[in-house]
Amino acid sequence: MTETPQSPARPEGAGRHRFESGLDRTPANYVPLTPASLLARAAAAVPGRVAVIDGDRRLTYADLYVRCRRLASALAARGVGTLDTVAILAPNVTEMIEAHFAVPMLGAVLNPLNTRLDPATIAFSLAHGDARVLIVEAECAPLAARALADLAQPVLVVAIGETGLDGAIPYEALLEAGDPDHAWAGPADEWQSLCLLYTSGTTGDPKGAVYSHRGAYLQALGNAVTFGLTAESVYLWTLPMFHCSGWSYPWASVAACATQVCLRKVEPSAIFRLIARHGVTHLCGAPIVLSMLAHAPASDRTAFPQRVRCAVGGAAPSSTIIRTMEELGFQVTHLYGATESYGPATVCLAQPDWAELSDADRYARMARQGVPLATLEAVAVVDPAGGEPVPRDGAAVGEIVLRGNTVMKGYLGNPDATERALDGGWYRTGDLAVWHPDGSVEIKDRAKDIIISGGENISSLEVEEVLMRHPAVMLAAVVARPDATWGESPCAFLEMKPGAMIPSDQEVIAFCRDRLARFKVPKTVVFGALPKTSTGKIQKFVLRDQARAL
């Protein structure tokens, strides 16, 4: 009788297939994947190689590993254990990289916080994530102080530099108390939660996307392969590390034994200077970064001999930007993804025949969102209603869906949102696209209520809710307006209450600035009756057309 192949999960004993019986997982042949092991390997392989450059600071891989082990040990001594949340509020500094390895070593959960958000949202994130520790860099101390004042639960505060926060433990003192030979164990299960990343989505309160050790490890390898990172690479941090854990590049750079160069603030002159000084080979960013570099005055530019690979996510850069970047010595690669997919999920891979195309046709191909990373199982474009794949004809529009190990576990404490997002065995992105014959996808429209400005997601509902608080406003609708600098910016259409005194544009903007993070504030305000359907629903598609025409 022919034996039937059995699942690897089937218990040992009679009836197991001979390719399973006696061939079991042991410590010799199975270790749960975790990005923390990538640092252990790099420290053993290239201990003297420079791992991090942060201003005048230089850390070798041996130095970085010791500091991460010290941090893990010191946090453990303070009571931080498996699945406890450690939040960090900081710009792109060395300590952000260290947190991405030390916290996973503990089996705890890292929560990088967006430094551009308002105190109330930071406080919500800390409370919702049940943070035990908050690491704060001095630059972010005022924001942290206001958020902590609104927080009911006690949080251990660790200060990077002089923060002035009451009761804060100095970061370096904490490290000194840690064991440089700390024997970290990592997760018992690679599905264990590793990171908590909040995304505003389309509703008021942020949703916390949860990453696993397995997903982060695989995304690191996928990024390294896709972007061509090697031990000779020098990666410049123009992308905020709080955004999707820096698209998983803290782990990807270490996987390749590359050098990471920290940058606190995106400034063209600093970027050009660091590229030339440190021989930078790779950087990532939102379209705004490319725009800033392309439009930088000659006085801000520093020449460099190498070709710099530049990955851009979000809205596709214009042909003018791509042409200028190529002339300046950059090779542009278009990526697509989301917080829910650990950052990049697809890449626009250049094809050999592109060299024969005109510049206009080549730039059009480069604007596509492309094909899956090697570590993503699949991408598809499907009918949003039925879930069936659309024809690969470059014309039929459907929703982009993703599947694989580098899709989030779900949203923390939000089973309904998780079920909607992972419906039917796929992650539903909400982005509308066409599918080309070569397998590449190309976005045609974004989820209707999302505005992507400078790489940040803005919920139109959140902005509308604030506008409706204005005493003169009766109805508010916010849509995306094309923005040469930010890609998109919020445009507010306001229908005023009868007899109300109409405020000026600047008064409305100031009203919002007091209640929203700066990047969420409308840059354009239009007054007048809003177009509605017969049932009273505001016709946003009409407003989008009007916003594009302004």
Side-chain angles (χ1 to χ4, degrees), residues 207 340 408 411 416-423 426-429:
K207 297 192 294 289
E340 291 83 351
M408 66 168 182
Y411 296 117
D416 291 341
T418 297
E419 184 177 358
R420 288 193 300 271
L422 305 182
D423 180 47
W426 294 85
Y427 165 57
R428 307 289 297 265
T429 68

Side-chain angles (χ1 to χ4, degrees), residues 202-204 449 451 457-470 473 476-479 490-494 508 511-512 515-517 519-524 540:
T202 59
T203 56
D449 289 330
I451 300 164
N457 283 3
I458 302 172
S459 167
S460 63
L461 298 180
E462 180 185 1
V463 183
E464 288 163 5
E465 196 274 336
V466 168
L467 287 164
M468 291 288 286
R469 296 180 200 168
H470 192 286
V473 174
V478 176
V479 299
C491 177
F493 289 85
L494 304 179
V508 172
F511 179 86
C512 292
R515 295 161 177 82
L516 290 167
F519 69 88
K520 297 180 180 180
V521 175
K523 290 184 169 54
T524 311
K540 280 197 169 182

Side-chain angles (χ1 to χ4, degrees), residues 290-297 301 320-321 324 328 484:
L290 272 67
S291 180
M292 292 172 70
L293 294 175
H295 294 111
R301 297 177 183 174
T320 302
I321 295 295
T324 304
L328 290 173

Side-chain angles (χ1 to χ4, degrees), residues 86-103:
V86 177
I88 182 167
L89 189 62
N92 288 347
V93 292
T94 299
E95 292 80 2
M96 273 288 267
I97 298 172
E98 292 171 351
H100 275 83
F101 290 93
V103 175

Side-chain angles (χ1 to χ4, degrees), residues 148-175:
L148 290 168
D150 293 337
L151 201 64
Q153 67 197 58
V155 175
L156 175 67
V157 179
V158 178
I160 304 169
E162 296 295 328
T163 64
L165 296 172
D166 291 340
I169 302 171
Y171 185 90
E172 293 300 326
L174 184 69
L175 259 63

Side-chain angles (χ1 to χ4, degrees), residues 35 110 119 163 236 242 262 430 458 474:
L110 180 65
T163 64
L236 177 62
F242 62 68
C262 294
I458 302 172
M474 183 171 66

